[in-house]
Amino acid sequence: MRCSGADARTIAARVFRSGEALRDRVATYGEIIDVDGAVIDRGLALAMDAPRTVTGEDVVELHVHGSPVVARETLRALLHAGARAAGPGEFTRRAFLNGKLDLSAAEAVADVIDAESRAAARAAQANLAGALRDAVDGVRAALSSVLEELAGAIDYPDEVPEPARERVHALVGEVDAKLDALIGDWERGRFVREGLSLAIVGPPNAGKSSLLNALLGEERAIVSATPGTTRDVIEESFAIDGVAVRVLDTAGLRASDDAIERSGIERARRALDGAAVALVVVDGSQALDADARAVLENTRSRARVVLFNKRDLGAAGYDARDDGERDALSGTVFDGAAVDAVRRAVAAAGWHGESLDFARPHLASARQADAVARAREALAHARVTLAAGEPVDLIVPELFAAVAALGEITGAAATEAVLDGIFSRFCIGK
Amino acid sequence: MSARADDAAVIVVGGGHAGVEAALAAARLGVPTVLVTGDPERVCTLACNPSIGGSAKGQLVREIDALGGAMARLTDRVSLHSRFLNESKGPSVRALRALADKPGYVRVAAEAVAAQPGLTVVRGMGEDLIVETGAVRGVVLAGGGTLRAPNVVLATGTFLGGKTFRGDEVRAEGRFGEPPAIGLSATLARLGFPLGRLKTGTPPRVDRTSLDLAAMAVQSPSATPLPFSYASPRAFAGPQLPCWIVETNERTHALVRENLHRSPLYGLDLIRGIGPRYCPSIEDKVVKFGHNPTHQVFVEPEGWDEPTFYVGGFSTSLPSDVQLAMLRTLPGFEAVVMLRAGYAVEYDFVQPTELDPSLETRRVAGLFHCGQLNGTSGYEEAAAQGLIAGINAARRSQGREALRLGRETSYIGVLIDDLVTRGVDEPYRMLTSRAEHRVMLRHDNADLRLTPVGRDVGLIDEDAWSAFEQRRDALAGGVRFAESSRVGPARIGRDDLPAGATLADALRRPDIGVDDVRRHFPPATDDDVAARVEIEIKMDGYVRRRRTAIDRAVRDEAVALPSDLDYDAVPALSREGREKLARIRPRTLGAASRIPGITPTDVALVSVHLHRLILATASA
């Protein structure tokens, strides 16, 4: 549990009791106590003084045992001692506001917090290192440079020559292509940030729960065996090539067979509605029953993966499958190779199996994507205006708008940057 | 007819471009006004170059005129070289630049001051302010006289703590040969105003008869020179003269380098003030742009009958003997006679973040600051502020609400907003790059933007108003005519136009100008009106495209921030943002967003906090 802010130590002292005083960056053992002095738990307190902390403010971390009750009671004690619960992403925002990170880096931190998969963490780390800032800044600097020439020629007509229109046009085109690539990565990267939603559907006893367990792997199955949070009850996630795949309606999959029978096809349909990809499991060892045929038919028009399960028991159903299921997989969920085949098929259906280059910088938020989109809109206007042979006074505002929009990502002010460029590049003034 | 000096409502201290606009405006609004100036015969001195206008500055002059100020009309009476700049670069950046006959400018300004009813001129220097319970009550003059009034406009230029430099020769002067104002600096500091030092400079003046002009490139005025003012006649009183351009060379630069140790800025290190990047001295040019083999030098007449030429681009504070040697390296200057050496001047300014957009200080009620005192440079920037300060001092004395111009209305609005929200760290010059809504802020439409404002304020008389109404209606009629006249491709002579194309459709094409379609307009259409019809039609789409951004800016501008807003109470606001917002106290959310270092996140946090406050107040 982390407290950040000028009063972090004061507040921590009200809930943490120890024989020795907290020292900077030294863990201290002691008791977590409530408002009446009763011991909630025993644990460690770690104080870190500003500014060398993650938020740039004084920070005290309380390390307590993992029980939800202990965590809740500790939080309650902290609130009683004068702390305020952090809003979503507040630590990140404070880190940014305290100058610990630039805007893009702060949003990359938010990505780390939200990321459930390794790939997202890698991409976020690339941004943390400033790769996004460098990429956007490079584009912004190129635009700013030509804008300096245009604006310089307007404000100092006797001293700064107007740049050739062909060169301006070519540069705007190059910049636009780079921004297009950033937006493309952003759109593909949606799976990285948000994950892919998957519904596992099929008749009772087709092996859906077993397939889920196989996909989740041993570790996750154990975690979800002791549901402690709401999310664990209704949603599981696993990774394929580093992309988080969220399985919808696992509650239904995990309910008893009686429950499945009771809610039947209806429940599967609801899960299907919200899913990007359907994973259809049927018993392929015998002739398909009416339920199996119905679920296959209902999912034909959408992105799906079909597994004819229970290959070890036979393949009668698989062999007699319709043309619509020509590409269906056949195997058993207890066979690692078959489960891998399912993973690959889900990747192909979900994001066409495209490998995402996570080492490349990517836009980390919808706000950044919006800024790039606005820059591109302004550049599109600039290109039309240039092509039409309009005078430069109509091109300059569009380029200014583009530079300003990109500056929102890196935190640079357009007007000042352009003026600085003009005065440092051109020797002007009567 | 003159008001008596002891029942003035407005006192203006300083008779430069800012002070004279302020005094004329206040008096014309019917408020008894006193102008305190060191030398009433030398008001509106063009202390540096003879040039008025230019890119962005020309728009300021047009706006001053459209609001009812004096600068444009004064310039037109003594213009000796008028040139329209950026004609090929588009309507929104076209700008007029004129060279004025310097003694003539001072003469017509002094005449305007003398002829203004309700304006009394007092010869003197401001020495101290009378301030009682946070409000200004009058001015103490050097030598002991006292003038009392509830509104004081300070327009002291470079005179506050002024110091001039030429080599190792340092003098306490506001301008060459004129004493500085020392007392007022101390007064402002005592009142708690943060003072800073800025520096500017001026080049040498030379004897025109000593130059070989044939060795120089000629820069001619426009073939059909234009006046600044909507009210001025097209024909000028005197002849239009050419200017000349020469270039520096390696010998010039070598002299600069060899003598840098005698420069008060470099070798002697006497100057602390920050100089303008856009007006570098020749020393700066040689030191900072050493890779440039030449620098342009503009040779400009200072008057029809003046013996002096101004050597533009050659500002310097090197010793006189070096200046002369440097001049002699220029083509045509081999036998030059230097009549006055250049010098640098350093002076006090007050951070303009101390001001409300009305230009009244927040610290002392009734005290207004304008011109170079606010850290600007340039006659036009000074005059624009003077006009607004004069209007608002008069309005305050009449109990009326202050006039504030938004960034979307004018370069004047941009100028004042930049000053009061961002402050200055070098002398501020207006540039088109500073105006985000520049497609609206054009030379041609200054009257449409501001004359109705000037009329409301009371500076546009009946004649000027009816002339404006005629122009406005003729323009609207011309646009209507163009939009409704179907001329078709054949009559225009352009088969790439659609059938049924109107005159306006044709004019929207970048390569079709009003001259190409002039014959389709009614014969009575005025040339000026036709030219403006073309601009209105060509710009219309772009202006509409800016409209969204302007509407958003105007909306943010409409969100007032309480002057006592506790920024410490805004959750998660950065320390920098907190400190800046608490110090600058922007009046609106829009102004907050333009403060350097204030991030969109900060603005969002302030906005959210404000909403919470409003909700809390509403439910309380």
Side-chain angles (χ1 to χ4, degrees):
Chain A
M1 214 153 287
R2 176 185 289 156
C3 305
S4 177
D7 295 329
R9 270 172 175 269
T10 318
I11 288 168
R14 292 180 192 138
V15 300
F16 185 79
R17 189 161 60 198
S18 170
E20 45 189 316
L22 295 182
R23 287 187 291 145
D24 187 18
R25 289 174 171 72
V26 176
T28 308
Y29 187 74
E31 294 169 333
I32 317 290
I33 52 173
D34 69 12
V35 61
D36 302 319
V39 175
I40 299 168
D41 195 6
R42 290 185 172 75
L44 295 173
L46 176 59
M48 287 163 285
D49 293 344
R52 286 189 305 131
T53 66
V54 64
T55 56
E57 303 171 329
D58 287 345
V59 166
V60 178
E61 288 178 358
L62 297 176
H63 296 257
V64 298
H65 293 99
S67 143
V69 178
V70 168
R72 199 169 59 236
E73 287 305 311
T74 308
L75 177 60
R76 185 173 293 169
L78 281 168
L79 295 179
H80 207 276
R84 179 174 62 76
E90 183 164 344
F91 286 116
T92 309
R93 203 170 65 229
R94 285 190 175 205
F96 167 61
L97 293 174
N98 284 318
K100 297 295 285 183
L101 307 161
D102 73 10
L103 198 51
S104 61
E107 289 182 4
V109 170
D111 236 12
V112 169
I113 292 164
D114 294 334
E116 288 194 322
S117 60
R118 290 169 286 116
R122 276 207 304 278
Q125 248 151 27
N127 283 346
L128 272 181
L132 174 68
R133 189 184 51 223
D134 291 349
V136 175
D137 239 11
V139 170
R140 199 189 57 81
L143 269 186
S144 186
S145 162
V146 75
L147 189 47
E148 286 154 19
E149 293 179 47
L150 289 166
I154 286 169
D155 278 328
Y156 296 92
D158 289 341
E159 293 151 283
V160 179
E162 198 179 325
R165 292 176 81 90
E166 299 72 37
R167 191 159 63 76
V168 178
H169 208 148
L171 182 111
V172 169
E174 283 164 30
V175 163
D176 195 45
K178 285 183 185 154
L179 294 180
D180 186 37
L182 270 179
I183 285 282
D185 282 352
W186 153 259
E187 280 164 0
R188 279 193 297 282
R190 245 185 41 231
F191 295 117
V192 180
R193 292 179 307 276
E194 295 164 16
L196 177 82
S197 52
L198 181 75
I200 304 180
V201 292
N205 293 322
K208 301 187 296 294
S209 302
S210 303
L211 177 56
L212 175 63
N213 280 338
L215 288 168
L216 294 178
E218 199 67 11
E219 206 182 325
R220 290 302 297 245
I222 289 167
V223 170
S224 55
T226 54
T229 70
T230 318
R231 200 193 60 190
D232 285 336
V233 176
I234 59 158
E235 191 179 277
E236 293 285 3
S237 66
F238 62 94
I240 302 176
D241 294 344
V243 174
V245 177
R246 288 178 289 111
V247 184
L248 303 181
D249 191 34
T250 53
L253 291 171
R254 287 184 175 284
S256 71
D257 284 354
D258 283 352
I260 293 174
E261 279 163 29
R262 274 203 304 274
S263 33
I265 305 286
E266 252 326 291
R267 183 183 270 282
R269 241 180 228 145
R270 279 209 306 275
L272 267 177
D273 285 344
V277 173
L279 176 51
V280 184
V281 187
V282 295
D283 181 348
S285 65
Q286 50 197 350
L288 298 178
D289 60 12
D291 279 354
R293 281 200 302 276
V295 73
L296 286 171
E297 211 159 288
N298 288 339
T299 54
R300 255 178 213 152
S301 60
R302 55 170 301 149
R304 66 166 186 177
V305 171
V306 178
L307 171 67
F308 284 80
N309 194 16
K310 307 191 186 179
R311 177 79 187 213
D312 51 329
L313 301 179
Y318 177 70
D319 292 342
R321 68 192 186 281
D322 276 2
D323 274 358
E325 279 80 52
R326 196 48 43 203
D327 299 330
L329 304 171
S330 170
T332 165
V333 299
F334 301 112
D335 172 13
V339 173
D340 273 347
V342 168
R343 287 174 193 276
R344 282 197 303 278
V346 167
W351 55 95
H352 311 294
E354 257 185 89
S355 127
L356 304 174
D357 182 357
F358 296 115
R360 283 219 305 253
H362 77 253
L363 300 172
S365 72
R367 198 189 59 75
Q368 291 185 346
D370 176 59
V372 172
R374 276 184 284 121
R376 293 199 66 203
E377 190 202 333
L379 291 181
H381 277 276
R383 291 170 87 170
V384 170
T385 310
L386 272 161
E390 296 278 14
V392 291
D393 69 330
L394 298 179
I395 295 154
V396 165
E398 305 296 348
L399 297 187
F400 255 113
V403 169
L406 296 178
E408 287 175 27
I409 297 175
T410 59
T415 304
E416 289 312 307
V418 170
L419 291 182
D420 287 348
I422 292 175
F423 295 128
S424 63
R425 285 173 65 192
F426 306 108
C427 182
I428 39 190
K430 293 182 181 178
Chain B
M1 185 182 95
S2 249
R4 281 172 38 231
D6 52 4
D7 60 17
V10 173
I11 299 169
V12 178
V13 181
H17 303 278
V20 165
E21 288 287 356
L24 288 175
R28 287 185 59 203
L29 292 176
V31 171
T33 302
V34 170
L35 173 63
V36 179
T37 177
D39 188 348
E41 282 74 52
R42 293 177 66 184
V43 294
C44 283
T45 298
L46 298 168
C48 192
N49 60 22
S51 165
I52 289 171
S55 184
K57 289 168 169 271
Q59 279 92 320
L60 281 174
V61 180
R62 287 284 272 188
E63 291 173 358
I64 291 168
D65 184 55
L67 275 174
M71 178 171 251
R73 279 176 294 122
L74 298 178
T75 307
D76 291 339
R77 290 176 62 189
V78 294
S79 168
L80 58 74
H81 175 107
S82 166
R83 201 153 63 93
F84 209 33
L85 307 176
N86 289 336
E87 283 203 81
S88 68
K89 291 175 188 151
S92 59
V93 297
R94 281 174 202 155
L96 196 60
R97 175 176 184 261
L99 299 186
D101 176 82
K102 281 188 166 184
Y105 195 90
V106 171
R107 191 187 66 247
V108 295
E111 282 170 14
V113 167
Q116 178 58 50
L119 176 58
T120 308
V121 179
V122 170
R123 184 186 297 268
M125 296 279 282
E127 178 68 19
D128 196 1
L129 295 173
I130 305 165
V131 175
E132 292 161 5
T133 59
V136 73
R137 292 283 175 256
V139 177
V140 178
L141 301 180
T146 297
L147 295 168
R148 292 189 78 88
N151 298 283
V152 172
V153 177
L154 290 186
T156 50
T158 61
F159 278 73
L160 278 193
K163 243 189 219 183
T164 61
F165 302 84
R166 189 184 283 156
D168 59 2
E169 193 186 334
V170 183
R171 301 187 194 184
E173 290 174 332
R175 269 199 304 253
F176 189 75
E178 298 179 48
I182 301 298
L184 270 182
S185 278
T187 301
L188 292 171
R190 194 183 66 230
L191 290 169
F193 288 103
L195 296 175
R197 293 291 273 178
L198 291 175
K199 174 228 140 182
T200 187
T202 195
R205 312 298 199 271
V206 298
D207 185 341
R208 63 195 300 171
T209 61
S210 69
L211 300 176
D212 177 12
L213 296 172
M216 308 179 190
V218 176
Q219 192 173 44
S220 299
S222 292
T224 49
L226 295 173
F228 272 111
S229 174
Y230 288 97
S232 293
R234 290 296 287 252
F236 288 116
Q240 291 277 298
L241 306 179
C243 297
W244 291 268
I245 301 178
V246 295
E247 294 194 328
T248 61
N249 53 55
E250 194 38 55
R251 287 189 299 137
T252 330
H253 303 174
L255 279 168
V256 171
R257 281 192 289 266
E258 284 160 20
N259 289 285
L260 272 185
H261 64 284
R262 298 175 68 192
S263 151
L265 188 60
Y266 286 96
L268 301 173
D269 199 20
L270 298 171
I271 297 176
R272 287 183 301 121
I274 298 152
R277 287 177 299 174
Y278 46 79
C279 193
S281 62
I282 189 72
E283 297 92 297
D284 281 331
K285 292 180 182 184
V286 170
V287 170
K288 293 178 183 158
F289 294 89
H291 53 279
N292 288 16
T294 65
H295 296 282
Q296 282 183 307
V297 175
F298 301 84
V299 184
E300 299 172 337
E302 293 202 300
W304 284 300
D305 301 317
E306 281 295 282
T308 55
F309 270 14
Y310 178 86
V311 189
F314 215 74
S315 167
T316 178
S317 54
L318 285 165
S320 304
D321 59 307
V322 182
Q323 293 189 29
L324 181 61
M326 280 159 47
L327 286 172
R328 293 216 155 135
T329 64
L330 302 176
F333 280 67
E334 292 79 6
V336 71
V337 174
M338 186 170 75
L339 295 177
R340 207 175 82 191
Y343 61 92
V345 57
E346 193 189 60
Y347 54 94
D348 291 333
F349 79 103
V350 175
Q351 263 306 344
T353 48
E354 288 286 321
L355 305 175
D356 184 88
S358 64
L359 297 181
E360 184 178 359
T361 68
R362 298 183 189 183
R363 210 172 279 275
V364 178
L367 180 64
F368 294 79
H369 288 178
C370 56
Q372 275 172 302
L373 175 61
N374 288 339
T376 60
S377 80
Y379 311 139
E380 307 82 353
E381 289 85 347
Q385 294 170 65
L387 178 59
I388 300 301
I391 287 172
N392 283 330
R395 288 173 78 85
R396 183 172 181 275
S397 82
Q398 293 164 334
R400 295 161 78 187
E401 202 192 328
L403 171 69
R404 297 188 179 96
L405 296 176
R407 297 178 72 88
E408 76 287 357
T409 68
S410 56
Y411 275 91
I412 300 178
V414 173
L415 166 69
I416 291 175
D417 182 68
D418 277 352
L419 292 176
V420 305
T421 60
R422 306 169 68 102
V424 298
D425 50 16
E426 68 171 331
Y428 180 102
R429 181 208 153 136
M430 186 44 74
L431 298 160
T432 59
S433 302
R434 301 193 195 272
E436 65 276 38
H437 307 309
R438 64 185 83 73
V439 294
M440 322 267 297
L441 311 184
R442 305 190 306 265
H443 172 93
D444 60 279
N445 70 359
D447 58 344
L448 292 181
R449 293 185 277 123
L450 294 174
T451 297
V453 177
R455 176 70 171 173
D456 281 350
V457 166
L459 288 179
I460 302 294
D461 62 25
E462 282 308 324
D463 288 350
W465 181 247
S466 78
F468 165 74
E469 286 186 315
Q470 272 178 29
R471 281 197 308 275
R472 182 193 61 195
D473 297 345
L475 174 59
V479 171
R480 268 199 311 277
F481 179 83
E483 294 284 6
S484 59
S485 299
R486 295 188 186 284
V487 285
R491 288 175 63 203
I492 302 282
R494 284 282 297 259
D495 48 15
D496 57 341
L497 286 170
T502 62
L503 265 179
D505 293 331
L507 283 171
R508 281 189 194 98
R509 297 291 170 96
D511 55 346
I512 297 180
V514 74
D515 291 340
D516 301 316
V517 296
R518 190 73 171 83
R519 63 187 183 283
H520 300 293
F521 279 92
T525 309
D526 180 78
D527 279 344
D528 287 346
V529 169
R532 290 184 65 172
V533 167
E534 176 188 354
I535 296 173
E536 286 292 331
I537 289 172
K538 280 198 194 306
M539 298 302 285
D540 181 53
Y542 295 90
V543 167
R544 269 189 283 126
R545 182 161 149 63
R546 290 302 304 169
R547 205 68 244 182
T548 329
I550 291 169
D551 289 346
R552 191 170 54 229
V554 168
R555 205 165 44 239
D556 271 0
E557 216 52 63
V559 179
L561 298 177
S563 60
D564 59 347
L565 186 63
D566 178 9
Y567 288 101
D568 285 334
V570 180
L573 198 59
S574 69
R575 280 177 199 155
E576 185 193 3
R578 203 182 295 281
E579 183 271 318
K580 281 191 167 158
L581 290 166
R583 180 165 48 82
I584 295 171
R585 301 216 152 266
R587 290 171 35 87
T588 66
L589 201 59
S593 69
R594 292 188 298 275
I595 297 171
I598 299 298
T599 66
T601 318
D602 291 335
V603 175
L605 291 169
V606 171
S607 169
V608 167
H609 179 68
L610 205 62
H611 278 284
R612 286 211 190 102
L613 281 183
I614 291 164
L615 286 177
T617 317
S619 62

